[in-house]
Amino acid sequence: AVSFLQNTLTAFLQAHPEVELEIYCDLSRELHRLLRAEELDIIVATMPTPRMPYLSRAWIEQPIWAAAEGFAPQMDRPVPIGAHLEGCDYRARMIGALEQQGRRWRIVYTSPGISGLQSAVASGLCVTALTQATMLPGMRQLTEDDGFPVLDPLRIGLFYKHPRLTASGLQLVSDLVASVESVGSGIRVLPN
C-alpha cells in the first residue's frame, strides 16, 4: 500500500474536504476481521486465499531482500533480520526461505511500521523483505548470488463492503483502484 496509498489519499482529501478519514495500520488478518465486523470500510491487505469476500482488485507483490549498500553477508553467522510483528506475511516468507535453505537467522529488530524497518536496514543493523517500490537510497537488493533465496510472492487485495459506502467512499475506492493499476512493473494486477 505504501507505493500508492499516501498520494491517492492526499489527493482524495483535497478534492473532498467534507470527508473525514481515519487510517488504521495493522496485520492483514486483523484488517480482514475489522472489515467483517464493519469497523473498517476499505482495506488493503494480503490474501490468504485467491478468492475472498469483498474483494475489489487483487495483485501480486514480489518481496525482495533489502540491505544497506555496505552490508556484507556472513554465511557462518545467523542472518540478522528486521521484521514486522509475528503474523506478518513478509516475516513468514523470510524465515521460511532461510529455513528451507538451512540458514540460521535471528530477529534483531521488530517494528509495526515500514519506516522503522527501512531505517534499521539503511543503518546496516539488519536485512528485511521489502518491495522495489519501498527500497530507499542507500539500500541494495540481496540476491541468490549473495546467498539469499528468492522470496515467495504475495497476493494483495483491495477490499470494501459496497452497500456501506457513501458516494465519496465509492469515489475513494475508484481512486485507489486507478492507483493500483497505474503503479507499474512492480505489481501484476490479477483478474477478479
Side-chain angles (χ1 to χ4, degrees):
V2 170
S3 62
F4 68 90
L5 203 54
Q6 287 180 322
N7 291 338
T8 302
L9 292 176
T10 300
F12 175 82
L13 286 171
Q14 289 171 350
H16 301 277
E18 75 285 1
V19 174
E20 293 182 6
L21 288 182
E22 293 180 21
I23 300 168
Y24 180 77
C25 297
D26 206 332
L27 294 173
S28 290
R29 67 177 181 230
E30 181 65 8
L31 297 176
H32 285 290
R33 185 191 70 74
L34 293 170
L35 181 67
R36 286 189 309 272
E38 298 187 355
E39 293 179 38
L40 294 176
D41 298 315
I42 303 167
I43 66 170
V44 175
T46 58
M47 300 172 55
T49 61
R51 296 274 183 225
M52 296 184 69
Y54 316 117
L55 178 64
S56 172
R57 287 291 189 278
W59 63 95
I60 299 292
E61 288 275 2
Q62 180 58 59
I64 57 174
W65 290 100
E69 293 239 349
F71 179 81
Q74 297 178 348
M75 301 305 279
D76 60 331
R77 302 197 60 197
V79 175
I81 295 176
H84 291 300
L85 305 173
E86 185 68 43
C88 171
D89 292 312
Y90 281 80
R91 178 182 178 130
R93 276 168 171 65
M94 288 187 290
I95 292 169
L98 291 172
E99 287 184 348
Q100 188 172 30
Q101 194 182 51
R103 297 269 309 271
R104 294 180 304 142
W105 56 271
R106 67 186 189 98
I107 302 290
V108 299
Y109 181 83
T110 302
S111 173
I114 191 167
S115 60
L117 285 176
Q118 288 168 319
S119 294
V121 168
S123 73
L125 177 64
C126 57
V127 301
T128 197
L130 296 176
T131 63
Q132 201 62 51
T134 56
M135 295 283 282
L136 297 178
M139 291 182 187
R140 71 181 183 99
Q141 179 178 348
L142 297 172
T143 66
E144 291 178 286
D145 291 342
D146 299 301
F148 285 80
V150 174
L151 297 168
D152 289 337
L154 284 164
R155 183 180 298 262
I156 312 290
L158 171 67
F159 302 84
Y160 70 100
K161 288 186 172 184
H162 178 75
R164 287 184 39 85
L165 294 183
T166 63
S168 296
L170 291 173
Q171 182 61 54
L172 178 56
V173 168
S174 177
D175 293 352
L176 290 170
V177 167
S179 293
V180 167
E181 292 176 349
S182 72
V183 168
S185 62
I187 292 177
R188 186 179 67 195
V189 178
L190 301 172
N192 287 348

